[in-house]
């Protein structure tokens, strides 16, 4: 059974960076295309970026380009999302999600990581 | 860029009601669409993939239809546990979620 387990909640000051981890269990990260989605309090779901297997590259939503970096450590089956130059509007729950069954839509999600940006 | 318009943004209904939620894409996305249910404090749960395929373990009162630009999620007979927020997700191009529909008890 594939599971995604994320790191714990973070509190950061404006201007800082945050790095959230997502560990895969029950499968191998190299066989998955990992994506990141965030949700501000009381708001909807927002795709941030993820791995495009057709191009073999990580793609980012235009809104986050230049501020977000998604990486993987295949030795530990762990994916990472780092967001820099944090501002209060980045306060949100961050989810990793993947298309395990190759249906094209995210079927497996992490439990979410709350990131609070506050001075 | 593809735009997704989900409606309504909120909906009040009673147990046993039939409800329909719609997502419209600004251009054709074939059947590259999924539907998700989210409850407070929880990660989204996929209900439907490929526009009309029911996720394993999801009750058959949930159904999806559509192709191209117009898609619907139907709940045939609302149960108490169905009161939640629902999102569509298109993945024909860069993934994009609809704005969400909050389904509340009347």
């Amino acid at each position: 059974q594939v599971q995604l387990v994320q790191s714990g909640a973070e509190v950061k000051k404006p201007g800082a960076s945050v790095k959230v981890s997502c560990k895969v269990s029950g499968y191998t990260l190299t066989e998955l295309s990992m994506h990141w989605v965030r949700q501000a309090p009381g708001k909807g779901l927002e795709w941030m970026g993820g791995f495009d297997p057709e191009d073999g590259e990580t793609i980012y939503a235009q809104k986050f380009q230049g501020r977000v970096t998604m990486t993987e450590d295949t030795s530990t089956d762990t994916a990472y999302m780092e967001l820099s130059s944090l501002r209060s509007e980045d306060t949100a729950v961050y989810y990793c999600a993947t298309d395990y069954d190759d249906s094209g839509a995210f079927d497996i999600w992490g439990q979410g990581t709350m990131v609070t940006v506050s001075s | 860029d593809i735009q997704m318009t989900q409606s309504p943004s909120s909906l009040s209904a009673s147990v046993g009601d039939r409800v329909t939620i719609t997502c419209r894409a600004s251009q054709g996305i074939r059947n590259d669409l999924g539907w998700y249910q989210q409850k407070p404090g929880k990660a989204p749960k996929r209900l439907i993939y490929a526009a009309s395929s029911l996720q394993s373990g999801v009750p058959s009162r949930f159904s999806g239809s559509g192709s191209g630009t117009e898609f619907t999620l139907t709940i045939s007979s609302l149960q108490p546990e169905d009161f939640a927020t629902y999102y569509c997700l298109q993945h024909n191009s860069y993934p994009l979620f609809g704005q969400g529909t909050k389904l509340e008890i009347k």
Side-chain angles (χ1 to χ4, degrees), chain B residues 1-64:
Chain B
D1 292 358
I2 295 174
Q3 305 298 318
M4 298 299 293
T5 303
Q6 184 173 342
S7 62
S9 57
S10 64
L11 179 58
S12 294
S14 301
V15 172
D17 283 354
R18 178 185 180 91
V19 300
T20 298
I21 299 168
T22 298
C23 266
R24 290 187 174 87
S26 59
Q27 61 191 73
I29 59 170
R30 302 182 305 183
N31 69 338
D32 297 333
L33 185 120
W35 289 98
Y36 294 80
Q37 177 192 68
Q38 187 180 33
K39 295 183 177 179
K42 299 295 187 181
K45 171 188 174 183
R46 192 175 72 177
L47 304 174
I48 301 287
Y49 63 95
S52 60
S53 295
L54 188 67
Q55 177 74 27
S56 175
V58 173
S60 59
R61 63 181 179 272
F62 292 93
S63 64

Side-chain angles (χ1 to χ4, degrees), chain A residues 35 37 39 43-47 52 59-62 65 95 99 101 103-107 109-112, chain B residues 1 32-34 36 38 41-46 48-50 55 87 89 91 94-100:
Chain A
H35 291 253
V37 175
Q39 185 171 39
K43 302 297 184 182
L45 300 167
E46 182 176 33
W47 176 77
D52 182 352
I59 54 176
Y60 300 118
Q62 188 171 6
Q65 284 185 3
Y95 294 101
D99 174 25
D101 63 3
S103 65
F106 310 136
D107 57 336
W109 294 68
Q111 83 274 22
Chain B
D1 292 358
D32 297 333
L33 185 120
Y36 294 80
Q38 187 180 33
K42 299 295 187 181
K45 171 188 174 183
R46 192 175 72 177
I48 301 287
Y49 63 95
Q55 177 74 27
Y87 296 91
L89 167 66
H91 53 88
Y94 283 24
L96 179 65
F97 290 92
Q99 297 86 352

Side-chain angles (χ1 to χ4, degrees), chain A residues 25-48:
Chain A
S25 65
Y27 209 59
T28 303
L29 181 56
T30 54
E31 300 293 325
L32 298 171
S33 296
M34 194 64 71
H35 291 253
W36 292 85
V37 175
R38 79 176 187 180
Q39 185 171 39
K43 302 297 184 182
L45 300 167
E46 182 176 33
W47 176 77
M48 299 179 68

Side-chain angles (χ1 to χ4, degrees), chain A:
Chain A
Q1 179 182 352
V2 180
Q3 285 189 310
L4 306 179
V5 179
Q6 297 184 224
S7 49
E10 301 263 14
V11 179
K12 296 292 182 181
K13 293 192 182 300
S17 297
V18 68
K19 192 170 186 177
V20 179
S21 68
C22 172
K23 182 169 176 58
V24 178
S25 65
Y27 209 59
T28 303
L29 181 56
T30 54
E31 300 293 325
L32 298 171
S33 296
M34 194 64 71
H35 291 253
W36 292 85
V37 175
R38 79 176 187 180
Q39 185 171 39
K43 302 297 184 182
L45 300 167
E46 182 176 33
W47 176 77
M48 299 179 68
F51 185 74
D52 182 352
E54 292 189 6
D55 294 337
E57 294 183 352
T58 299
I59 54 176
Y60 300 118
Q62 188 171 6
K63 175 178 179 177
F64 300 102
Q65 284 185 3
R67 249 190 355 124
V68 69
T69 305
M70 296 173 187
T71 57
E72 297 180 349
D73 181 345
T74 56
S75 69
T76 60
D77 288 320
T78 303
Y80 297 92
M81 186 284 300
E82 184 169 21
L83 187 62
S84 62
S85 302
L86 290 170
R87 34 207 188 232
S88 58
E89 309 90 88
D90 295 317
T91 294
V93 176
Y94 290 77
Y95 294 101
C96 55
T98 191
D99 174 25
Y100 169 68
D101 63 3
D102 285 331
S103 65
F106 310 136
D107 57 336
I108 307 291
W109 294 68
Q111 83 274 22
T113 297
M114 182 70 211
V115 175
T116 302
V117 183
S118 174
S119 55

